[in-house]
Amino acid sequence: MDESANRGDVGFKGRVVAVRGSVVDVVFEAELPPVNALLWAGEGPGAALEVADHLEGGRARCIALSPTAGLARGDAASGSGEPLTAPVGPEVLGRMFNVFGRAIDQGPQLSDPERRSVHQAPIPLLRRSTSEDLFITGIKAVDLLVPLERGGKAGLFGGAGVGKTVVITELINNMVGRHRGVSIFCGIGERCREGEELYRDMDAAGVLPNTVMVFGQMNESPGARFRVGHAALTMAEHFRDERNQDVLLLIDNIFRFIQAGMELSGLMGRLPSRMGYQPTLSTELAELEERIASTQGASITSIQAVYVPADDLTDPSAVHTFSHLSASIVLSRKRAGEGFYPAIDPLQSKSMMLTPRVVGRRHYEAAREARRTLAEYEELKDIIAMLGIEELSREDRRTVYRARRLERFLTQPFFTTRHFTGQDGRMVELEDTIDGCERILGDEFTDLPESALYMIGPIDEARGHEA
């Protein structure tokens, strides 16, 4: 079975008049198909096209969702007027799909699944529900300084090679085992190798039966990468609305969605806006992000990796993404270079949930004091580099000693990196994280070397490292 097998009734017939990479113009003699309608052009399986715009002279400008190699002017194009659809329902659990809903895990194709259009409107405000429940991850730096919201959206921001995908896979490992709902992993423009490794890891962990994976791979057309996020969201919405199941939606990488839109915008002849991005960037991102919401019956909690070009957090792609999130976890190349993993920057990361009313007074005070101590240490680093730590006042030296121990305590061995580091992973309860932070700030571990606090789980393991 191939993607073109489900073409449906042919109601619109035209012919190809121009092919520019992934943008194809089709002329129709009669009525034009509606925007977002799916067309098939060429011989055999043909190329899948999605109508993006109506031009004068009966011409429709289309985005190709599959390769256009071999497509020529004059080739026939036809479609029923129906949009791209995604399979939904319990049959998709445990499987891996492409943007067309075709299984790509070498298993049998779904026989006759229920399908829904990938173009769905966000749920109305009256049906939306907000909660103040925390989404505990077991990662110390996240739970203490950047607590996540159940039913919210969190972003992992960082440049290339600072550990975004590693943190995402660790979250999957920690959450899927105790997350009672459905997990959906959406890979947008990421490496095929990562998807294959993730599939095997989840199968080995026994969590694949409650997981769906959807991929628009790096080697696929920008149209497929642009629409795969909508396909994954359609599956998530079905579990939330029809089956009242909580959904954990992990997206890697939102920047690749923006990048695919930028490629298509240039090919469609739109004038670029600032720094070469498409003029419709904010609208396209909002159409995707606003569908991630919770109802009274169930929630969609989303954690998204966001590549930051040149580590510049003022890049338009990062700025527009920030505005949709309830928590922003910024990964620092400097901290990664110093060996602090996960390389979370405690001063740039933030969460709307970190208020006394939501997390409690004790958690709030511990996080605030930890962040203040780390900020003061950052300011003192220049003085230490020039004059040495001996020139600091006694109180400043105490601040430095606390901050250096905090930095090391907030590192953590991951389950998903065990084969690289040789260390067993640790999941740490929030109570243990707060307790360890308070005890370090209370100067309890001044008798221990800083290295005793590096890459441990709960704080009591430090004594074991010393022994």
Side-chain angles (χ1 to χ4, degrees), residues 212-355:
V212 187
M213 305 178 78
V214 191
F215 281 93
Q217 299 170 56
M218 190 179 277
N219 62 337
E220 294 190 53
S221 68
R225 287 181 269 128
F226 189 67
R227 284 293 176 227
V228 71
H230 297 85
L233 261 170
T234 302
M235 296 180 184
E237 288 168 339
H238 176 84
F239 284 110
R240 178 196 65 194
D241 298 336
E242 307 300 327
R243 308 185 69 84
N244 289 329
Q245 288 182 280
D246 289 338
V247 180
L248 175 60
L249 176 65
L250 300 126
I251 303 176
D252 188 7
N253 185 304
I254 282 291
F255 175 78
R256 304 296 176 199
F257 165 76
I258 294 171
Q259 189 179 46
M262 180 168 58
E263 293 176 44
L264 294 171
S265 179
L267 288 168
M268 291 179 71
R270 295 174 183 154
L271 287 174
S273 64
R274 191 161 62 97
M275 294 179 68
Y277 286 98
Q278 63 270 42
T280 52
L281 166 60
S282 58
T283 306
E284 290 169 356
L285 186 61
E287 285 175 352
L288 186 76
E289 296 281 5
E290 287 303 302
R291 289 174 62 181
I292 303 171
S294 301
T295 64
Q296 294 289 347
S299 65
I300 298 179
T301 302
S302 177
I303 299 171
Q304 310 167 9
V306 187
Y307 168 71
V308 180
D311 294 337
D312 179 14
L313 290 171
T314 63
D315 188 270
S317 62
V319 171
H320 282 284
T321 308
F322 271 123
S323 62
H324 291 280
L325 306 174
S326 56
S328 304
I329 303 168
V330 178
L331 300 178
S332 160
R333 188 173 303 281
K334 181 183 175 189
R335 293 182 69 80
E338 292 170 349
F340 296 130
Y341 291 104
I344 294 170
D345 188 324
L347 305 181
Q348 292 200 75
S349 303
K350 61 181 180 180
S351 170
M352 295 180 184
M353 303 296 282
L354 192 59
T355 64

Side-chain angles (χ1 to χ4, degrees), residues 140-167:
K140 290 183 286 190
V142 173
D143 291 341
L144 177 71
L145 300 172
V146 205
L148 306 187
E149 173 191 1
R150 184 174 298 279
K153 295 186 277 271
L156 277 165
F157 292 81
V162 295
K164 296 183 300 297
T165 301
V166 172
V167 175

